Amino acid sequence: TTPLVYSAKVLGGLNAVGFGVSLATGSHVHLDLIGTGAFTVASIATRGVNDMAALSSAFIAACATRLAGFLFYRATQTPRDLRLEDTLSTPVGAFGFWFISFAWGWLTMLPHTLACGGKKAPAFGRGMTTACVLYGFGLATEVIADIQKWNFKKHPKNRGKFCDKGLWQISQHPNYFGNLLLWSSIWLLNAPTILKKKGPGVLAASAISPVFLAMLFFGQSTGVIGPALDLADSKYNHLSSYQAYKKATPLIIPNPFKLIEKLAAALASGLGGREL
């Protein structure tokens, strides 16, 4: 079985379990624990035998485990998830959710699964070094954005307010941007191996991973996919500051110099806790 097929089996099996739990419980708590956690299991199952494949697997497992754990904890603290309540209320809706979760996982992991077979990988070059730096920036951006918003939301003085602090000052969705950087770095890390083994056509096709994620994130941010924007507007549209924020702040991609500045400030202040 090729890594491509094996990842489909692992992701398909875990998302089928998620579907079963949804039917049995109607709960939202397990969604990201299983859906995002499936990346960790699939990456370990397809870690390969060369150093580059092992590094790619470790990168995926680290960011997926962190994100699944954070989102699971957040779900346990939230009695309802209005974004998905209607979708998960019917068997057809629940199946659609978990099928999309499977497709998301399989497509996103393509650079890894296309590259991880074989005993030899290209020598570690500048492109791969760039990929590691990009991964670090992406992970830091996603983690800090999540922590800053969580700290903001749980503070009593911020009840009824939208988060525009820290990284959220320079992007409406900095967590999306961090995740996009992560997966772009994994594509870049595996690109030399795919090019050597499969050729330029397959390398171009593997770019569907970050392209798909970019389309998904922009779709969610603009309200084309899912109700997240409508829910946010229903909470905050009465605030002139929110309307000004939406007009002035980049949707996902921030100014890179401002990003570096905000990341440094967040790290210097304990992930931005005092700022919030």
Side-chain angles (χ1 to χ4, degrees):
T1 302
T2 66
L4 202 63
V5 174
Y6 196 41
S7 71
K9 291 181 177 179
V10 172
L11 292 166
L14 288 170
N15 281 282
V17 170
F19 174 57
V21 175
S22 291
L23 289 181
T25 67
S27 173
H28 71 285
V29 173
H30 66 290
L31 301 183
D32 288 295
L33 180 65
I34 296 177
T36 304
F39 282 90
T40 300
V41 179
S43 66
I44 293 173
T46 56
R47 63 188 177 277
V49 294
N50 63 67
D51 292 341
M52 198 58 60
L55 180 60
S56 177
S57 175
F59 275 2
I60 295 171
C63 65
T65 301
R66 197 287 311 178
L67 184 58
F70 168 74
L71 294 176
F72 175 65
Y73 173 74
R74 190 179 70 177
T76 63
Q77 306 301 304
T78 308
R80 298 172 64 189
D81 189 337
L82 296 177
R83 298 168 303 171
L84 296 171
E85 202 165 73
D86 290 342
T87 299
L88 297 172
S89 64
T90 66
V92 172
F95 176 82
F97 171 85
W98 287 104
F99 180 79
I100 291 172
S101 177
F102 159 73
W104 160 57
W106 189 79
L107 287 172
T108 304
M109 284 192 62
L110 275 179
H112 171 74
T113 52
L114 285 169
C116 67
K119 296 182 179 181
K120 293 184 178 180
F124 202 93
R126 292 181 180 177
M128 296 177 182
T129 301
T130 302
C132 292
V133 172
L134 192 65
Y135 178 87
F137 268 101
L139 184 60
T141 300
E142 186 181 56
V143 170
I144 290 173
D146 283 343
I147 291 174
Q148 287 180 333
K149 190 168 187 178
W150 179 256
N151 288 341
F152 181 91
K153 289 291 187 181
K154 73 179 184 180
H155 200 292
K157 74 174 184 179
N158 296 322
R159 190 178 303 276
K161 298 180 181 179
F162 66 97
C163 183
D164 60 349
K165 304 296 184 181
L167 297 183
W168 300 84
Q169 286 181 318
I170 59 173
S171 168
Q172 294 180 44
H173 300 279
N175 53 335
Y176 287 174
F177 182 66
N179 195 265
L180 188 56
L181 285 183
L182 285 173
W183 286 101
S184 296
S185 74
I186 290 168
W187 177 81
L188 185 60
L189 179 69
N190 287 292
T193 305
I194 298 173
L195 181 62
K196 181 179 180 180
K197 288 173 53 181
K198 309 287 186 177
V202 175
L203 176 61
S206 70
I208 193 175
S209 171
V211 170
F212 169 78
L213 283 176
M215 293 173 62
L216 177 65
F217 291 152
F218 275 97
Q220 290 175 326
S221 302
T222 57
V224 174
I225 301 173
L229 180 61
D230 289 339
L231 289 171
D233 285 350
S234 68
K235 291 180 182 178
Y236 309 120
N237 236 0
H238 65 286
L239 301 173
S240 59
S241 56
Y242 173 71
Q243 296 176 19
Y245 172 79
K246 288 207 302 179
K247 290 179 180 179
T249 309
L251 191 63
I252 294 177
I253 303 174
N255 180 300
F257 299 105
K258 290 184 178 180
L259 174 63
I260 293 172
E261 178 186 339
K262 288 294 182 182
L263 286 174
L267 292 171
S269 63
L271 301 186
R274 292 195 297 272
E275 182 182 3
L276 305 181

